[in-house]
Amino acid sequence: METEIQAIDAPITAAPAGPDTKWYVLRVVSGKEKKIKEYLDKDIIRNGWTNVIKQIFLPMEKVYKVQNGKKVMREKNYFPGYVMMEVVDNKATIADDIVMHISNITNVMHFLTDGKGSKGNIISLRKSEVNKMLGKVDEMNDMGGSISEPFIL
């Protein structure tokens, strides 16, 4: 079984977070990550938040399997139940109206906080965590160039 990781709708080489952005994590219903990402992308454009929210990031892993004598590729979420958001850091945290709007979306549980569940202050990822996450995606994209196929008799 071969695996390859890529980010949906992200550039092939994801750049590390800039000094003026922060990354936040949304906790969502597992299995609904792709649908929520698509909805959030449309919602950001509709509400005019493109200058506040840079991107919605969902790393996916391509898994190649052999089923019934055929090579089948499936996409698997690298972080099940989580969606990452890159937000411009113009204040201490995201605006309250954006947080409320996103938190009220169906299948979104809450933002990652320093408390238990949705209680507490919304926290952003550290630069080291972001670089590790984006570095893992870049590393797996570089390795995904050659895929060895098993012999089928």
Side-chain angles (χ1 to χ4, degrees):
M1 179 171 52
E2 298 282 331
T3 61
E4 173 184 333
I5 297 177
Q6 74 174 26
I8 293 182
D9 293 336
I12 301 234
T13 57
D20 59 341
T21 61
K22 284 189 176 181
W23 286 84
Y24 294 94
V25 179
L26 278 174
R27 184 143 182 256
V28 300
V29 174
S30 186
K32 301 289 185 181
E33 298 94 349
K34 198 170 186 179
K35 187 178 276 191
I36 290 171
K37 184 208 178 311
E38 292 169 0
Y39 182 80
L40 281 172
D41 285 336
K42 292 176 186 174
D43 214 23
I44 289 167
I45 294 168
R46 186 179 325 124
N47 290 321
W49 296 334
T50 53
N51 58 346
V52 177
I53 300 175
K54 290 282 191 187
Q55 69 172 322
I56 306 296
F57 187 70
L58 183 62
M60 297 295 281
E61 181 178 17
K62 286 186 179 180
V63 180
Y64 295 91
K65 291 184 180 182
V66 177
Q67 288 182 334
N68 299 329
K70 295 180 182 178
K71 186 176 170 185
V72 179
M73 188 272 300
R74 303 232 170 153
E75 288 186 343
K76 184 178 143 187
N77 192 352
Y78 194 66
F79 297 113
Y82 295 97
V83 175
M84 286 55 155
M85 289 176 43
E86 185 180 14
V87 178
V88 174
D89 183 25
N90 54 1
K91 297 180 182 176
T93 60
I94 311 174
D96 290 338
D97 60 334
I98 296 174
V99 170
M100 282 303 263
H101 183 81
I102 291 174
S103 296
N104 289 330
I105 294 173
T106 306
N107 297 324
V108 172
M109 291 183 213
H110 52 79
F111 280 86
L112 188 66
T113 62
D114 58 359
K116 185 174 181 178
S118 62
K119 312 232 179 335
N121 299 322
I122 296 173
I123 58 172
S124 62
L125 295 177
R126 289 184 226 111
K127 296 287 182 193
S128 60
E129 294 170 330
V130 172
N131 290 335
K132 183 177 178 182
M133 175 183 67
L134 295 176
K136 186 73 169 172
V137 171
D138 287 340
E139 176 185 318
M140 293 308 284
N141 279 338
D142 291 342
M143 289 176 48
S146 62
I147 299 170
S148 59
E149 296 184 26
F151 292 101
I152 300 172
L153 301 174

